């Protein structure tokens, strides 16, 4: 065990320590061989040998240089000794170069991440820090012709990001406390600065840059209790993706009589990014299929939503599986979430007649976890008239069962078996997955709405039995992107297959056709809204007029071309 422990520590030691160990071992090998050769050569060969000649022999043998003054050997023992010295010497040298020296030299000569942007920028977006939220944000911003700069303090992270995003995104490595870092990213010319570090670091960064730039500063925090302090420091917006995530989870528990679009669900409190529209305006809406809904068990052909209401199902989720191209024979059930496009008034009528269910306002919900996400969900459920029982390890001034959400007895005490909804909102994906498994087992008809922090947890939560899962970092990225892109385009929906649904206003003063835009950009246009008209399923020959608003979906590169054409 001691030998294994020593070898393990040596293998995982820093490069400098491993090189020192090798040099000591190599020197010991030379000394031992020199002593042995000096001792036995006179006995084997019958000739005297000085210490210098012994050392010279060993070095010539180990380095494979060769020797002549001591040849020929008369005794086979001398030959065997020479062979052993040759083999061990070669092994030592060839082990040293690839295993120790090469990685060390690679580390020394490897290029450092960029310290500045390649040239001065203007009107760009600067993002401070990197996380899964930033990944989602960058992906959303890449539909527009915006220069994006990501600044990080960690050299390894900066190097990884630079290799991942180059040349679409500029990555700069620098200390946040150094003013030179911000000058090297042209902070004075930036249009927006987003700070995503921990609250203390965020406050320090904002205070350090606010006199260097007139850019809009957005602070992303875990706890909205820091809102007023960061605004005082200089932030124009202070956002918490947890608040929006909780509201979205709760809104999937009921079908509201008022149509709510996806971008309305994630908009900031008191901030209307895209406008509210009219009853005739096209809306993209999520419609969950609840237990007791008249639509459950029917096919899309039987529902005939386009023929009856002028509303089209663009995509849907079913049992955690995304279906990008719905077919008429597809049957929907209570694990289905429809994404429909149509006039607001028509969608409201459709929901009332085809999807409404009884028992919504008198139902019981269990909120597992009462952090920021759980509190937001609790408030949203209360505003819809749904009574909730909270489960958390800390006591709060609400109807609550204090205990572990992974304890079956605690869940039973919270009346999980008689509940209609369960919001799983703990800040730990593993806990959420296990809680979802338990809740589904205790109440098979329960509608479970869960939160995830990591993309890898989304599919696991669906397999555990969740009806709807929202990825917290993705929500945060979409909210921030909505603010930055509000004058360029609106991202209505981020699809799981890498595509996005966007809404773009026609800025050119000339008309074009749907077919021309689709051919030149590669997007699919699904709706057009203009003065006195709303069109879904537009044909190739349909015109796009000046000031029309067009809804299309595609991948980043195709959407970027679409935005340029519009």
């Amino acid at each position: 065990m001691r030998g294994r422990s020593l070898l393990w520590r040596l293998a995982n030691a820093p490069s400098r320590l491993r090189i020192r160990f090798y040099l000591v071992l190599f020197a010991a090998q030379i000394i031992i061989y020199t002593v042995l050769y000096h001792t036995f050569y006179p006995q084997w060969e019958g000739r005297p040998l000085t210490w210098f000649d012994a050392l010279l022999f060993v070095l010539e043998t180990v380095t494979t240089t060769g020797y002549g003054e001591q040849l020929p050997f008369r005794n086979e023992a001398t030959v065997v000794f020479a062979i052993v010295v040759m083999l061990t010497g070669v092994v030592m040298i060839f082990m040293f170069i690839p295993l120790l020296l090469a990685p060390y030299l690679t580390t020394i000569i490897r290029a450092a991440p960029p310290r500045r942007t390649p040239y001065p920028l203007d009107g760009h977006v600067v993002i401070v820090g990197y996380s899964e939220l930033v990944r989602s944000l960058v992906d959303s911003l890449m539909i527009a012709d915006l220069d994006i700069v990501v600044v990080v303090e960690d050299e390894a992270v900066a190097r990884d990001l630079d290799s991942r995003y180059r040349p679409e995104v500029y990555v700069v490595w620098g200390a946040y406390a150094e003013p030179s870092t911000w000058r090297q990213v042209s902070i004075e010319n930036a249009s927006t600065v987003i700070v995503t570090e921990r609250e203390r670091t965020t406050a320090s960064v904002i205070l350090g840059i606010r006199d260097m730039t007139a850019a809009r500063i957005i602070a992303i925090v875990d706890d909205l209790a820091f809102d007023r302090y960061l605004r005082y420091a200089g932030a124009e917006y202070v956002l918490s993706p947890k608040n929006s995530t909780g509201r979205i989870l709760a809104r999937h528990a009921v079908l509201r009589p008022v149509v709510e679009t996806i971008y309305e669900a994630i908009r900031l409190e008191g901030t209307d990014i895209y406008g509210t529209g009219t009853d005739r305006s096209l809306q993209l809406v999520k419609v969950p299929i609840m237990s007791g809904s008249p639509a459950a068990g029917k096919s899309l052909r039987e529902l005939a939503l386009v023929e009856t209401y002028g509303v089209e199902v663009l995509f849907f989720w079913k049992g955690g599986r995304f279906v990008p191209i719905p077919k008429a024979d597809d049957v929907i059930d209570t694990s289905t979430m429809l994404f429909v496009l149509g006039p607001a008034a028509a969608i409201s009528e459709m929901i009332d007649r085809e999807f409404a269910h009884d028992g919504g306002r008198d139902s019981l919900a269990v909120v597992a976890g009462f952090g920021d996400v759980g509190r937001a969900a609790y408030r949203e459920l209360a505003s819809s008239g749904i009574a909730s029982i909270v489960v958390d390890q800390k006591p709060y001034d609400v109807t609550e069962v204090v205990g572990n959400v992974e304890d079956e007895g605690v869940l039973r005490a919270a009346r999980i078996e008689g509940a209609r909804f369960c919001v799983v909102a703990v800040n730990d994906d593993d806990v959420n997955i296990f809680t979802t498994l338990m809740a589904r087992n205790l109440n098979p008809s329960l509608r479970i709405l869960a939160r995830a922090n990591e993309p890898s947890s989304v599919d696991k939560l669906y397999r555990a039995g969740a009806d709807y899962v929202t990825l917290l970092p993705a929500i945060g990225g979409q909210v921030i992107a909505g603010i930055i892109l509000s004058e360029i385009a609106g991202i209505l929906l981020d699809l799981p297959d890498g595509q996005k649904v966007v809404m773009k206003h026609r800025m050119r003063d000339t008309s074009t056709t749907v077919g021309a835009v689709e051919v030149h950009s590669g997007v699919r246009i699904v709706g057009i809204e203009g003065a006195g008209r709303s069109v879904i399923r537009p044909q190739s020959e349909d015109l796009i007029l000046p000031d029309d608003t067009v809804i299309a979906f595609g991948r980043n590169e195709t959407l970027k071309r679409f935005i340029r054409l519009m």
Side-chain angles (χ1 to χ4, degrees):
M1 289 297 292
R2 281 188 173 183
R4 285 182 60 185
S5 177
L6 177 62
L7 290 174
W8 185 90
R9 287 199 298 268
L10 179 62
N12 291 273
S15 297
R16 292 177 184 273
L17 182 61
R18 281 183 284 154
I19 289 175
R20 290 195 193 103
F21 176 80
Y22 169 82
L23 293 176
V24 170
L25 184 63
F26 187 66
Q29 181 187 42
I30 297 299
I31 293 171
I32 292 170
Y33 283 154
T34 300
V35 172
L36 292 174
Y37 191 65
H38 182 268
T39 300
F40 292 108
Y41 181 83
Q43 300 177 26
W44 292 336
E45 299 296 326
R47 289 181 289 179
L49 186 70
T50 66
W51 282 104
F52 178 80
D53 288 337
L55 175 62
L56 179 64
F57 165 81
V58 171
L59 292 177
E60 288 176 333
T61 305
V62 167
T63 59
T64 67
T65 303
Y67 32 76
E69 64 276 3
Q70 297 178 30
L71 293 177
F73 296 137
R74 299 173 182 175
N75 192 295
E76 291 182 356
T78 309
V79 176
V80 171
F81 182 78
I83 292 172
V84 171
V85 174
M86 289 179 189
L87 291 176
T88 55
V90 168
V91 168
M92 284 291 289
I93 291 175
F94 280 94
M95 178 181 71
F96 171 68
I97 293 176
L99 296 183
L100 299 176
L101 187 59
Y104 181 67
L105 292 176
T106 300
T107 302
I108 294 176
I109 65 177
R110 183 168 50 184
R115 286 286 196 172
R116 62 187 309 137
T117 57
Y119 52 84
L121 302 176
D122 187 38
H124 54 297
V125 176
V126 177
I127 304 172
V128 183
Y130 190 80
S131 62
E132 186 61 32
L133 182 148
V134 174
R135 187 205 63 77
S136 173
L137 170 61
V138 169
D139 183 65
S140 295
L141 294 180
M142 288 175 69
I143 69 170
D145 287 313
L146 285 173
D147 288 322
I148 305 169
V149 182
V150 177
V151 182
V152 291
E153 282 193 310
D154 187 281
E155 180 182 2
V157 173
R159 183 178 290 109
D160 177 66
L161 295 180
D162 185 53
S163 63
R164 183 188 310 176
Y165 284 121
R166 184 185 292 180
E168 289 87 1
V169 176
Y170 303 109
V171 176
V172 173
W173 168 46
Y176 298 155
E178 294 294 332
S180 59
T181 298
W182 309 113
R183 288 193 292 268
Q184 288 163 353
V185 297
S186 306
I187 196 76
E188 67 278 6
N189 299 325
S191 62
T192 306
V193 178
I194 303 119
V195 190
T196 66
E197 294 285 4
R198 298 179 68 88
E199 284 83 357
R200 290 180 180 177
T201 304
T202 294
S204 178
V205 169
I206 293 173
L207 290 169
I209 67 173
R210 71 177 186 181
D211 292 332
M212 302 175 66
T213 182
R216 171 178 48 187
I217 299 177
I218 302 174
I220 309 303
V221 296
D222 274 339
D223 190 348
L224 277 176
F226 293 100
D227 178 282
R228 63 191 180 102
Y229 306 113
L230 293 175
R231 288 185 185 274
Y232 182 75
E236 183 175 342
Y237 294 102
V238 180
L239 310 177
S240 172
K242 293 181 177 180
N243 186 55
S244 296
T245 300
R247 292 165 56 201
I248 288 173
L249 287 174
R251 291 183 181 187
H252 283 79
V254 293
L255 277 172
R256 291 173 174 263
V258 178
V259 171
E260 291 188 348
T261 59
I262 292 165
Y263 48 83
E264 285 172 335
I266 64 173
R267 72 185 182 193
L268 304 174
E269 295 287 355
T271 303
D272 191 356
I273 298 173
Y274 301 108
T276 56
T278 66
D279 285 347
R280 292 192 307 272
S281 62
L282 290 180
Q283 305 285 347
L284 180 58
V285 181
K286 290 180 179 178
V287 180
I289 309 303
M290 305 292 188
S291 177
S293 169
K298 293 184 179 180
S299 68
L300 295 180
R301 188 192 310 277
E302 291 174 301
L303 288 173
L305 300 181
V306 173
E307 295 80 1
T308 308
Y309 304 100
V311 174
E312 180 173 19
V313 177
L314 295 182
F315 331 97
F316 66 84
W317 280 91
K318 184 176 181 181
R321 182 175 61 90
F322 181 70
V323 180
I325 305 177
K327 299 177 181 177
D329 293 330
D330 286 332
V331 176
I332 63 175
D333 56 27
T334 54
S335 70
T336 306
M337 172 82 69
L338 301 178
F339 297 86
V340 301
L341 176 69
I347 291 178
S348 291
E349 181 186 3
M350 175 199 72
I351 289 176
D352 185 57
R353 294 175 57 184
E354 302 289 349
F355 298 96
H357 64 99
D358 58 349
R361 300 184 67 86
D362 297 325
S363 299
L364 174 68
V366 174
V367 178
F370 205 59
D372 292 334
V373 175
R375 279 194 291 271
Y378 181 88
R379 290 192 297 267
E380 195 69 30
L381 289 167
S383 70
S384 300
I386 298 177
S388 301
I389 297 178
V390 170
V391 178
D392 198 281
Q393 291 183 321
K394 297 179 181 179
Y396 294 95
D397 190 21
V398 295
T399 304
E400 180 184 12
V401 174
V402 178
N404 189 342
V405 298
E406 296 177 286
D407 188 317
E408 182 177 322
V410 171
L411 291 178
R412 288 182 186 276
R415 297 165 54 193
I416 192 76
E417 292 164 307
R420 185 156 190 169
F421 311 107
C422 180
V423 177
V424 185
V426 180
N427 190 27
D428 186 314
D429 285 358
D430 289 337
V431 173
N432 288 341
I433 291 169
F434 196 73
T435 302
T436 299
L437 281 169
M438 294 183 66
R440 177 59 68 210
N441 181 263
L442 291 171
N443 186 344
S445 64
L446 186 68
R447 182 167 178 78
I448 302 176
L449 313 164
R451 122 204 215 168
N453 293 327
E454 298 294 333
S456 59
S457 298
V458 173
D459 188 52
K460 294 177 184 177
L461 281 162
Y462 276 119
R463 290 202 300 267
D467 295 289
Y468 177 73
V469 180
T470 184
L471 181 61
L472 187 146
I475 295 298
Q478 290 170 23
V479 170
I480 304 165
I483 298 172
I484 298 171
L485 299 175
S486 59
E487 297 181 1
I488 299 173
I491 299 179
L492 306 185
L493 183 62
D494 204 340
L495 302 176
D497 61 353
Q499 298 190 88
K500 296 178 179 65
V501 183
V502 304
M503 176 174 62
K504 172 63 179 169
H505 189 68
R506 174 73 173 174
M507 305 296 292
R508 298 177 183 270
D509 56 5
T510 58
S511 300
T512 186
T513 64
V514 169
V517 173
E518 289 183 336
V519 167
H520 289 96
S521 66
V523 302
R524 176 189 164 195
I525 294 176
V526 294
I528 304 173
E529 183 181 354
R533 66 177 185 137
S534 294
V535 182
I536 62 170
R537 289 186 176 180
Q539 302 301 307
S540 296
E541 62 274 11
D542 285 340
L543 288 177
I544 300 174
L545 305 175
D547 294 327
D548 276 354
T549 297
V550 180
I551 298 175
F553 72 91
R555 301 190 179 275
N556 283 348
E557 59 273 13
T558 61
L559 290 171
K560 184 176 289 189
R561 291 195 293 268
F562 166 70
I563 291 172
R564 290 172 186 161
L565 289 171
M566 294 295 288

